Amino acid sequence: MYIKQYENILLDIAEEYGTPVYVYFAEILLNNFNKIKTIAKKYYRKILIAYAYKANSNIHLCKLLHREGAGAEVVSSGELFLALKASASKIVFDGVSKSVSEIEYAVRNRVWLINIENLGELKYIDYFSEKNNIVQKVGIRFNPGIEVSTHKHIATGGKLNKFGLDSKNFIRAVSISKKMKNIDLCAVHFHLGSQIFDTESYIKALERVLSLAEEAGLNIRIIDIGGGFGYSYETGETMNLDNLFAQISRVLKDSLGEEPTVVLEPGRAIVASAGILLTKVNYIKEVYGKKWVLVDAGMNDFIRPALYGAKHKITVLGKNGPTEKYSIGGPVCESADVFAEDMELPRVAPGDVLAVHDVGAYSYSMSSNYNTRPRPPEVLVDRKEIKLIRRRENFEDLLRLMIT
Ligand SMILES: Cc1ncc(COP(=O)(O)O)c(C=O)c1O
């Protein structure tokens, strides 16, 4: 996102709420969502955009998206709890290892769709559905066994991944479900991973799952193609969704008699560019000729560079002019606690505020208390209003769950 226009607001927020602090922009969030919705509506009559809570589950952001028509994609009873609190109208419950109590909670709360990844889930869903006197819509997550070009930690549709069911078990799941009174097996699902930019992987997976469903005698009413729509942290562009949705629509028209409901589960493409992390410079030093900027945010606050080697644009608020090469490190006692290496920045001084861009997704949601560091606050900028939407953790919070 281009933040020059927001610099003064960001400096005020850093002053008022301290650093590190996450800042989100409602306008960018909703623009991203509505862009996806507009393109999807060109190609599908029945559509659900189920926002992936794992990307960022702050309830204020989720509510804004639900008000705009988004459903929720959740993968734990914690996310489900939040989606219910946020009044999500349609909830898709995914997850590779759902516990029995999570399935019970999902069925009891009438989630719209449960996508299974294990044959064993079927008997629990059937049992709790009968107890609650409902027939539960169920989908099967298919693992298409294809390699997608992305970071290995975020690829999920390959033969070596734990996710989904392979062809043999997909067919078994269809035949088991047919014998269950309280299961309405009506959906197929796949999610190939995150940061995917090529349309072919989706089409390959779609064609495989459609032919498998036909072989198994499964009548598909819902097709859930997951999320994973790539967002370039370099250019700020999202993958070509027009092309992707057009091609998917063509395959569906060629293969299915009746038009299914299409479910999308984007997370990053909606929320990544809506967030900024502000962090203050504590010190500058040189270690064997390498210039380090040491900031007050660490990998516990923002783990993407350490975990995935993610590269985010970083700027110095209110500064231009001659640049120097700096590496940017945090206070955590790990060599991986580095946000950038040899980055050109305007000359930095202690007290400057750095803005780490595009941290709306998989950033706060992956934060921790490592090194016993309280987590930062979150602030929402919604038109002229600046609102604290999660306070900074304090020392008491660090003790809260310990039995003392
Ligand atoms: C099942 C499922 N759906 C959707 C998503 C969202 O992916 P992304 O944020 O890349 O769109 C994920 C991410 O891991 C996922 O596992």
Side-chain angles (χ1 to χ4, degrees), residues 71-100:
E73 185 268 349
V74 301
V75 289
S76 69
S77 44
E79 287 186 353
L80 174 52
F81 168 77
L82 282 186
L84 293 167
K85 285 272 177 209
S87 308
S89 58
K90 283 193 174 129
I91 301 175
V92 177
F93 191 48
D94 293 338
V96 67
S97 183
K98 306 173 188 78
S99 67
V100 178

Side-chain angles (χ1 to χ4, degrees), residues 51-123:
Y51 167 62
Y53 266 44
K54 65 182 78 59
N56 187 326
S57 60
N58 188 301
I59 196 164
H60 294 267
L61 306 186
C62 298
K63 278 184 178 171
L64 285 175
L65 291 169
H66 296 323
R67 242 178 269 149
E68 216 65 14
E73 185 268 349
V74 301
V75 289
S76 69
S77 44
E79 287 186 353
L80 174 52
F81 168 77
L82 282 186
L84 293 167
K85 285 272 177 209
S87 308
S89 58
K90 283 193 174 129
I91 301 175
V92 177
F93 191 48
D94 293 338
V96 67
S97 183
K98 306 173 188 78
S99 67
V100 178
S101 65
E102 283 181 312
I103 291 174
E104 194 269 335
Y105 185 54
V107 171
R108 179 157 46 85
N109 282 289
R110 312 286 194 265
V111 297
W112 182 66
L113 176 69
I114 301 180
N115 286 320
I116 63 143
E117 304 199 30
N118 302 280
L119 296 176
E121 290 175 55
L122 289 167
K123 63 176 182 294

Side-chain angles (χ1 to χ4, degrees), residues 190-201:
F190 57 83
H191 171 77
L192 306 176
S194 211
Q195 285 297 65
I196 301 167
F197 287 90
D198 71 298
T199 298
E200 298 80 61
S201 306

Side-chain angles (χ1 to χ4, degrees), residues 10-21:
L10 291 171
L11 280 166
D12 289 348
I13 290 173
E15 180 73 26
E16 173 153 4
Y17 298 100
T19 53
V21 55

Side-chain angles (χ1 to χ4, degrees), residues 347-387:
R347 220 160 272 148
V348 182
D352 281 347
V353 178
L354 306 190
V356 186
H357 297 220
D358 299 328
V359 299
Y362 305 105
S363 299
Y364 191 97
S365 64
M366 290 184 135
S367 65
S368 75
N369 288 126
Y370 184 45
N371 274 202
T372 314
R373 289 167 46 80
R375 264 178 275 228
E378 296 180 293
V379 170
L380 177 67
V381 180
D382 192 354
R383 276 153 286 169
K384 290 256 161 320
E385 194 188 5
I386 294 174
K387 198 158 89 182

Side-chain angles (χ1 to χ4, degrees), residues 220-322:
I220 299 173
R221 304 199 311 276
I222 299 171
I223 178 114
D224 182 342
I225 65 160
F229 312 144
Y231 171 76
S232 165
Y233 288 89
E234 235 170 281
T235 65
E237 302 273 324
T238 301
M239 76 175 289
N240 187 341
L241 291 178
D242 224 305
N243 181 38
L244 175 67
F245 296 166
Q247 291 207 39
I248 285 176
S249 153
R250 179 186 51 76
V251 174
L252 292 177
K253 275 196 188 115
D254 288 350
S255 317
L256 297 179
E258 206 162 305
E259 193 184 331
T261 297
V262 175
V263 178
L264 314 172
E265 302 177 344
R268 191 189 311 267
I270 293 178
V271 73
S273 64
I276 291 267
L277 173 65
L278 300 180
T279 179
K280 197 170 271 180
V281 177
N282 283 332
Y283 304 101
I284 319 268
K285 73 172 177 188
E286 254 185 55
V287 181
Y288 292 108
K290 192 178 172 85
K291 216 163 214 177
W292 284 95
V293 172
L294 295 158
V295 294
D296 62 1
M299 64 191 285
N300 69 297
D301 306 303
F302 177 54
I303 202 171
R304 287 181 36 72
L307 192 60
Y308 305 122
K311 290 188 174 25
H312 285 250
K313 186 173 169 193
I314 298 177
T315 48
V316 190
L317 292 188
K319 273 204 170 167
N320 295 306

